[in-house]
Amino acid sequence: MRKQMILVLAGLLSLVLAACGGQAQQAPTTAPAQPATTAPEQPTAAPPASPAPTAAPAATSAPAGGTPAQPAAGGLIERILARGTLICGVNNNPLPGFSSVDAAGVRAGFDVDFCRAIAAALFDDPNKVEYRPLSAQERFTALQTGEIDVLIRNSTWTLGRDGNLGLDWAPTTFYDGQGMMVRKDSGINTLEDMNGATICVQTGTTTELNLADQFRARGLTFTPVVFPDGDATRAAYDAGQCDGFTTDKSGLVSSLTLLSNPADHKILEVTMSKEPLGPAVKQGDPQWFDAVRWIVFATFQAEEYGITSKNVDEFLKSDVPEIRRFLGIEGDLAKGIGLPNDFAVRIIRHVGNYAEIYDRNLGPNTPFNLPRGLNALYTNGGLLYSPPFR
Amino acid sequence: MATEVSRPTSRRAPRQQIGLIEWLRKNLFSTWYNAIITVILLYLIFQTVTSFVAWMVTAPGWPAAFTNIKLLLTWTYPVEQLWRPQAAMALVLLLLGLSSGLWGGIVRMVAFGAAAVSVLLGFVAFTFPDLPGQTSLPGWLFMFLCAGLLVGGDQAARWIGVKLRWPLIVAWLLSYPAVILILRGGLGLPIVETKLWGGLILTLILAISGIVLSFPLGVLLALGRRSSLPVIRIFCVLYIELIRGVPLVTVLFMGALLLPLFLPGGESIDALVRAIVAVTLFSAAYLAENVRGGLQSIPKGQIEAARALGLNVVQTTLLITLPQALRAVVPVLVGQFIALFKDTSLVVIIGLVDLLGAAQNIVGQPEWLGTPGGVWRETFLVIAAIYWVFSFTMSRISKRIEDQIARSRH
């Protein structure tokens, strides 16, 4: 029954993908046929024609190079503001630390905090979010059809998804990579030791594809044992059905604590893939894309300046010009992306800077205790780097 | 079954009264190989049961289900509005209690079963945590109150008597909109969007709506399929065969994600309504085929006799064929309703969080990290028990209805 379900979903998705892909391929073939002089009139050319009819005006009316003082009429930001809530797509099959619901019914997690940051920037109220729990199969369709405004569901940014699915990825909020867990007494220390091994992996994910690529590249064989969800995959590994268990390293760390005997297992050094996870929006509304992008950058920049939810009021009295610009006391930078001038202050006050978000959900005082690794500021050897706010 | 004693029935040969040891020897140890099989099986059963009980006693994950009972039952329904699901449940149980007093029989069996379960849950509920900002009654008090309403309603209805009949029928008809009104709000009550609903409430609303709405639709489709008007017949055949040829997940997926593409305007239909419509349309097609089976079992002579008496087509259908056909397919229909109840768990795929979805979320809460083996076994066992209670109740009701029909045929 479950297998049949997934087959059908896969079939449906591939139909949708084929439809979108078809349109995307048509676009370049028609573009060269037109005279070059008409090209500048269509600055937002060739996003896969958006299926939702209501989104069509947004794509054509949003100016590409100008600096409008107000959100573009009919743009997504204006519609979100009129609606009064942000619709944020999150994970329905919770990933501890990224999105889960506590006993009182309140959502929390790393991904959820970025939903709250966007709502804080738009409404000055982080609670004006409507969460849409989405399965791995329906997440991109929901974004394409306009069911959700933004997808923050530990989704990996890849060329295929960015291009063929007609999505745009905001800056990566969490750099993950695929890892491999094995038993300590198995004698496995590298992937090369795993020739002929059986490996538990969740199906329908980039993880499954990466695994095959990595083993093929090394000329190794393996037997995949696939499961539709993460819990079943881990349970099968724990029960000894597989020699190895592979998923993103952050997931492996939390899975390790859930095994019967965590001390018997280890995570291999090797990182098999790049998994940059971040918010995604539908292509075709550059203003909304910019807004989401700079909201994420604002959390990076706030950490760089050392501005936290605790001390933000002191920084408001600062004389330093770049901090005054960042906090919207001087100039009107944020108008260009359709956000209020003090959006950074709103985010920091309600949700905090990147370090606060990270520590609250994944840091030393949580069961994960994940080291920052690549997810540190560039000044500390990580990859988080915000363009200047000026 | 007390009535059966007084009725003369064909008499069977008198049964031999045998003792326990005799019975054991006859059934379990009749030959040497039977004895061996019995011993081996007894050993296996003993091993399984003892290790299961030992695991149950020592399993570390039980607190997961109990501290999150609010999530399992209502998902993200606002804590300060929790009195509303309680009020809705109390209303339905009061009606059930009154009906039990008035009609007795199967209804009383259900009502007293529910009362017993309520008392049991009342004791379990002492372990439930209080939620911050909770304005509703504590769980144990509410469960005892439910049992009181059931038994009290039963007694009250017996005392009032038959006068209550029509008011009660009207009250049952109004109860569905009333429950939705209480839960959703309006008329002065603050609105609680259906997006916040979930857990057992969502499962029950989906299942009950699906059952209640698909029944008339399915009967109409079954009649339409046997209609002599070609347009109606072809439409019904096409509808039934199309829906039956497609899995429920696909129908749900269409309703949830593809419907917005076809509908003009930005305003989207409520996700819960879409799911209810999808479940109803799906269930109606299967129900139509079951009812059609019942209709085909009616001998042609009955219809001819009805015509001969001067009944028109509508009268023949409503008075002669349909009642007999429905009676014949009661077990099949109840089986289908049980399947529908369990199938509602598929709505997880379209982002609604039902009982199963809520359980999956609990398993992923960070506070259970570090529990060896995780908490999924315990949590899923708890929801399996909840599913079982409802399905088992339905199947017992079906059994009783069958018995009654069988007796009325004598």
Side-chain angles (χ1 to χ4, degrees), chain B residues 112-126 140 142-148 150-151:
Chain B
F112 279 68
V117 171
S118 299
V119 172
L120 191 71
L121 286 181
F123 286 113
V124 176
F126 280 114
W140 59 272
F142 176 68
M143 292 321 295
F144 289 143
L145 185 76
C146 285
L150 285 162
V151 178

Short mmCIF file of all heavy atoms in Angstrom, two decimals, chain B residues 112-126 140 142-148 150-151:
data_model
loop_
_atom_site.label_atom_id
_atom_site.label_comp_id
_atom_site.label_asym_id
_atom_site.label_seq_id
_atom_site.Cartn_x
_atom_site.Cartn_y
_atom_site.Cartn_z
N PHE B 112 -22.89 2.67 27.26
CA PHE B 112 -22.27 2.19 28.50
C PHE B 112 -20.82 1.80 28.27
O PHE B 112 -19.97 1.98 29.14
CB PHE B 112 -23.09 1.05 29.09
CG PHE B 112 -24.27 1.56 29.88
CD1 PHE B 112 -25.33 2.18 29.23
CD2 PHE B 112 -24.30 1.47 31.25
CE1 PHE B 112 -26.40 2.70 29.94
CE2 PHE B 112 -25.37 1.98 31.98
CZ PHE B 112 -26.43 2.59 31.31
N GLY B 113 -20.53 1.31 27.07
CA GLY B 113 -19.12 1.07 26.73
C GLY B 113 -18.32 2.36 26.80
O GLY B 113 -17.24 2.41 27.40
N ALA B 114 -18.90 3.43 26.22
CA ALA B 114 -18.21 4.72 26.23
C ALA B 114 -18.05 5.21 27.66
O ALA B 114 -17.00 5.77 28.02
CB ALA B 114 -18.99 5.74 25.41
N ALA B 115 -19.07 5.01 28.50
CA ALA B 115 -18.98 5.44 29.89
C ALA B 115 -17.86 4.70 30.61
O ALA B 115 -17.06 5.31 31.34
CB ALA B 115 -20.30 5.23 30.59
N ALA B 116 -17.76 3.39 30.36
CA ALA B 116 -16.71 2.61 31.01
C ALA B 116 -15.34 3.10 30.56
O ALA B 116 -14.43 3.30 31.39
CB ALA B 116 -16.88 1.13 30.66
N VAL B 117 -15.19 3.35 29.24
CA VAL B 117 -13.91 3.85 28.74
C VAL B 117 -13.59 5.21 29.35
O VAL B 117 -12.46 5.50 29.72
CB VAL B 117 -13.94 3.93 27.20
CG1 VAL B 117 -12.72 4.65 26.67
CG2 VAL B 117 -14.03 2.54 26.60
N SER B 118 -14.63 6.06 29.51
CA SER B 118 -14.41 7.38 30.08
C SER B 118 -13.87 7.28 31.50
O SER B 118 -12.94 7.99 31.88
CB SER B 118 -15.72 8.19 30.12
OG SER B 118 -16.20 8.37 28.82
N VAL B 119 -14.49 6.38 32.30
CA VAL B 119 -14.03 6.23 33.68
C VAL B 119 -12.58 5.75 33.70
O VAL B 119 -11.73 6.29 34.42
CB VAL B 119 -14.94 5.24 34.44
CG1 VAL B 119 -14.34 4.94 35.81
CG2 VAL B 119 -16.33 5.81 34.58
N LEU B 120 -12.30 4.78 32.82
CA LEU B 120 -10.93 4.25 32.74
C LEU B 120 -9.95 5.37 32.39
O LEU B 120 -8.92 5.56 33.05
CB LEU B 120 -10.90 3.15 31.68
CG LEU B 120 -9.64 2.31 31.63
CD1 LEU B 120 -9.60 1.40 32.85
CD2 LEU B 120 -9.62 1.49 30.36
N LEU B 121 -10.31 6.14 31.35
CA LEU B 121 -9.44 7.23 30.92
C LEU B 121 -9.32 8.29 32.00
O LEU B 121 -8.30 8.94 32.13
CB LEU B 121 -9.98 7.86 29.63
CG LEU B 121 -9.80 7.04 28.37
CD1 LEU B 121 -10.36 7.79 27.18
CD2 LEU B 121 -8.34 6.74 28.14
N GLY B 122 -10.42 8.46 32.78
CA GLY B 122 -10.38 9.43 33.87
C GLY B 122 -9.26 9.11 34.84
O GLY B 122 -8.53 10.00 35.28
N PHE B 123 -9.09 7.82 35.14
CA PHE B 123 -8.00 7.44 36.05
C PHE B 123 -6.65 7.63 35.39
O PHE B 123 -5.72 8.14 36.00
CB PHE B 123 -8.18 5.99 36.51
CG PHE B 123 -9.28 5.84 37.51
CD1 PHE B 123 -10.44 5.14 37.21
CD2 PHE B 123 -9.17 6.43 38.77
CE1 PHE B 123 -11.47 5.01 38.13
CE2 PHE B 123 -10.19 6.31 39.70
CZ PHE B 123 -11.34 5.60 39.37
N VAL B 124 -6.57 7.25 34.09
CA VAL B 124 -5.30 7.45 33.38
C VAL B 124 -4.95 8.93 33.35
O VAL B 124 -3.79 9.33 33.45
CB VAL B 124 -5.40 6.89 31.95
CG1 VAL B 124 -4.13 7.18 31.17
CG2 VAL B 124 -5.70 5.41 31.98
N ALA B 125 -6.01 9.78 33.24
CA ALA B 125 -5.78 11.20 33.03
C ALA B 125 -5.16 11.89 34.22
O ALA B 125 -4.72 13.03 34.12
CB ALA B 125 -7.10 11.88 32.67
N PHE B 126 -5.09 11.21 35.36
CA PHE B 126 -4.40 11.83 36.49
C PHE B 126 -2.93 12.06 36.17
O PHE B 126 -2.27 12.89 36.76
CB PHE B 126 -4.53 10.95 37.74
CG PHE B 126 -5.86 11.13 38.43
CD1 PHE B 126 -6.77 10.10 38.48
CD2 PHE B 126 -6.18 12.35 39.01
CE1 PHE B 126 -7.99 10.26 39.10
CE2 PHE B 126 -7.40 12.52 39.63
CZ PHE B 126 -8.31 11.48 39.68
N TRP B 140 -9.02 14.48 33.96
CA TRP B 140 -9.70 13.45 34.75
C TRP B 140 -11.12 13.87 35.10
O TRP B 140 -12.06 13.10 34.97
CB TRP B 140 -8.90 13.14 36.03
CG TRP B 140 -8.68 14.33 36.92
CD1 TRP B 140 -7.66 15.21 36.85
CD2 TRP B 140 -9.52 14.75 37.99
NE1 TRP B 140 -7.79 16.17 37.80
CE2 TRP B 140 -8.94 15.91 38.54
CE3 TRP B 140 -10.70 14.28 38.55
CZ2 TRP B 140 -9.48 16.61 39.60
CZ3 TRP B 140 -11.25 14.98 39.62
CH2 TRP B 140 -10.65 16.12 40.13
N PHE B 142 -12.98 15.96 33.47
CA PHE B 142 -13.80 15.95 32.27
C PHE B 142 -14.24 14.53 31.91
O PHE B 142 -15.39 14.30 31.55
CB PHE B 142 -13.04 16.59 31.11
CG PHE B 142 -13.80 16.54 29.82
CD1 PHE B 142 -14.95 17.26 29.64
CD2 PHE B 142 -13.35 15.73 28.78
CE1 PHE B 142 -15.67 17.20 28.46
CE2 PHE B 142 -14.06 15.67 27.59
CZ PHE B 142 -15.22 16.40 27.44
N MET B 143 -13.31 13.57 32.03
CA MET B 143 -13.67 12.20 31.67
C MET B 143 -14.74 11.65 32.60
O MET B 143 -15.67 10.97 32.17
CB MET B 143 -12.44 11.29 31.68
CG MET B 143 -11.39 11.55 30.62
SD MET B 143 -12.01 12.00 29.00
CE MET B 143 -12.84 10.50 28.51
N PHE B 144 -14.62 11.94 33.91
CA PHE B 144 -15.66 11.48 34.84
C PHE B 144 -16.98 12.16 34.51
O PHE B 144 -18.05 11.55 34.59
CB PHE B 144 -15.24 11.77 36.29
CG PHE B 144 -14.13 10.89 36.75
CD1 PHE B 144 -13.13 11.35 37.59
CD2 PHE B 144 -14.06 9.57 36.34
CE1 PHE B 144 -12.10 10.53 38.00
CE2 PHE B 144 -13.04 8.73 36.75
CZ PHE B 144 -12.05 9.22 37.58
N LEU B 145 -16.90 13.45 34.13
CA LEU B 145 -18.11 14.18 33.75
C LEU B 145 -18.76 13.52 32.55
O LEU B 145 -19.99 13.38 32.47
CB LEU B 145 -17.75 15.63 33.44
CG LEU B 145 -18.93 16.55 33.13
CD1 LEU B 145 -19.65 16.91 34.42
CD2 LEU B 145 -18.49 17.80 32.40
N CYS B 146 -17.92 13.08 31.57
CA CYS B 146 -18.46 12.41 30.39
C CYS B 146 -19.23 11.16 30.78
O CYS B 146 -20.36 10.93 30.31
CB CYS B 146 -17.33 12.01 29.44
SG CYS B 146 -16.65 13.41 28.56
N ALA B 147 -18.62 10.36 31.67
CA ALA B 147 -19.30 9.14 32.12
C ALA B 147 -20.61 9.51 32.79
O ALA B 147 -21.65 8.88 32.56
CB ALA B 147 -18.40 8.38 33.08
N GLY B 148 -20.59 10.58 33.59
CA GLY B 148 -21.80 11.05 34.26
C GLY B 148 -22.87 11.45 33.27
O GLY B 148 -24.05 11.12 33.43
N LEU B 150 -23.25 10.38 30.22
CA LEU B 150 -23.78 9.21 29.52
C LEU B 150 -24.81 8.49 30.38
O LEU B 150 -25.93 8.22 29.95
CB LEU B 150 -22.64 8.26 29.17
CG LEU B 150 -21.77 8.70 28.00
CD1 LEU B 150 -20.45 7.97 27.99
CD2 LEU B 150 -22.52 8.47 26.70
N VAL B 151 -24.40 8.22 31.63
CA VAL B 151 -25.31 7.46 32.51
C VAL B 151 -26.49 8.33 32.90
O VAL B 151 -27.65 7.88 32.88
CB VAL B 151 -24.53 6.96 33.74
CG1 VAL B 151 -25.48 6.22 34.67
CG2 VAL B 151 -23.40 6.05 33.30
#
